[in-house]
Amino acid sequence: MMAFGFGTHPPAGGRICVVGAGFMGCVIATLYARHGYEVVLCDSQTAMLDSYAERARPIAATLADDTLTVEAILGRVSTEASLKTAVAGVFMVHEVVQEVLETKQAVFEELDRLCPPDVVLATNTSSFLISDIAAGMSRRERMVGIHYITPAHIIPVIEIIHSAFTPPELVAWGRAFVQSIDHVGVACPERPGFLINKIQFAMLTEIYRLMDEGLASRDDIDAAVRLSLGPRLALWGPLLTEDLIVSKKTALAVTESLFHQTGDENYAGRKVLRDLVDQGHLGAATGQGWYRFEDDVDQVTEERDRQLRALLDWLREAGPVERLNVR
């Protein structure tokens, strides 16, 4: 595996520069500090740097425990307006500036010039292709997307976005880094929407259409997702959920029916699903679908129902929507 100056894993307690002291930069810097890294937060607006500790204190409070106080976390973050000074001695720079392509390109061109070749350069972009951001770099092979999902200090998944020029070793390094802050990395090649937004907006786009056409109300849509799809997805994800609740033959028949009724190519049965049907891998009932099941279907079903009932009981008792006091 290629070594990026600091070996195949990030150095424990190493130095990271976070560029951009807005909301996400504030959260990310605090999160890195919580997990033992020395952090330099850089922003050209000194007012943002001056207000960091005040803005970060509530975030640090959610991360503190008996082994590390809020003050200890905040004490690991220093601020610096000069990018040249901020990147001295770092093993990684994480860019979290505003989502404007030209701004990000300018930052990375300067980082490419300032940082030695063994420094990993990461972007938190939520929409741009990393190849576009890196267009002006001379050593773009050390660039990777490390994209957090809001709220970043609570949601445990981070997208690791790679391009055609990203070596597999850097993707593996990214996974190791994400693991070091107790998060889970999911790798995906650069595509519009990456992985999570692509999935999220596939659902939201359909929801917007339902509302535009007056087919369902706001409350009915949220109830439908929150009390049916949502708990299952939270417990198992979409593919394991399908294994647990429906035969692949039925799933294929439903998606084909939707395609024929609507003419929408997005509903056309995909090869990956047809292949499972052809192989007889229909889900828990046959012992294999997207996943292979070690227990028989009755045991799996019993455990499935126990987990789902427990989560729905918790939702009912917790009343999360009611506690938000919305109308």
Side-chain angles (χ1 to χ4, degrees), residues 218-229:
R218 174 200 69 182
D219 291 354
D220 284 351
I221 288 171
D222 272 352
V225 175
R226 186 167 59 87
L227 298 176
S228 64
L229 303 178

Side-chain angles (χ1 to χ4, degrees), residues 10 20 39 44 54 58 71 105 107 111 130 135 165 186 203 255 261 284 295 307-308 314 321 324:
V39 183
S44 60
E54 179 184 356
E71 296 305 322
Q105 288 174 330
V107 168
L111 289 173
I130 63 172
F165 54 72
V186 291
M203 179 177 70
T255 191
Q261 291 181 68
D295 297 329
Q307 292 181 18
L308 188 57
W314 179 86
V321 174
L324 288 172

Side-chain angles (χ1 to χ4, degrees), residues 231-251:
R232 299 186 306 191
L233 294 178
L235 287 168
W236 310 306
L239 299 179
L240 181 53
T241 291
E242 186 185 79
D243 275 356
L244 290 169
I245 66 170
V246 66
S247 163
K248 295 293 177 289
K249 285 184 178 179
T250 302

Side-chain angles (χ1 to χ4, degrees), residues 128-208:
F128 298 123
L129 303 184
I130 63 172
S131 56
D132 289 340
I133 298 174
M137 293 174 60
S138 61
R139 295 185 296 269
R140 59 183 187 169
E141 68 279 355
R142 38 93 168 256
M143 183 181 176
V144 66
I146 299 180
H147 177 228
Y148 286 81
I149 310 301
T150 302
H153 58 301
I154 298 174
I155 299 296
V157 167
I158 297 174
E159 291 177 314
I160 301 171
I161 303 149
H162 51 92
S163 185
F165 54 72
T166 311
E169 293 86 354
L170 182 52
V171 177
W173 187 97
R175 286 188 186 275
F177 173 73
V178 166
Q179 186 175 11
S180 78
I181 59 170
D182 291 338
H183 279 54
V184 177
V186 291
C188 58
E190 59 172 8
R191 294 289 188 278
F194 308 139
L195 178 62
I196 293 172
N197 272 338
K198 200 170 184 66
I199 294 170
Q200 176 174 246
F201 278 93
M203 179 177 70
L204 282 173
T205 298
E206 190 62 35
I207 286 171
Y208 301 150

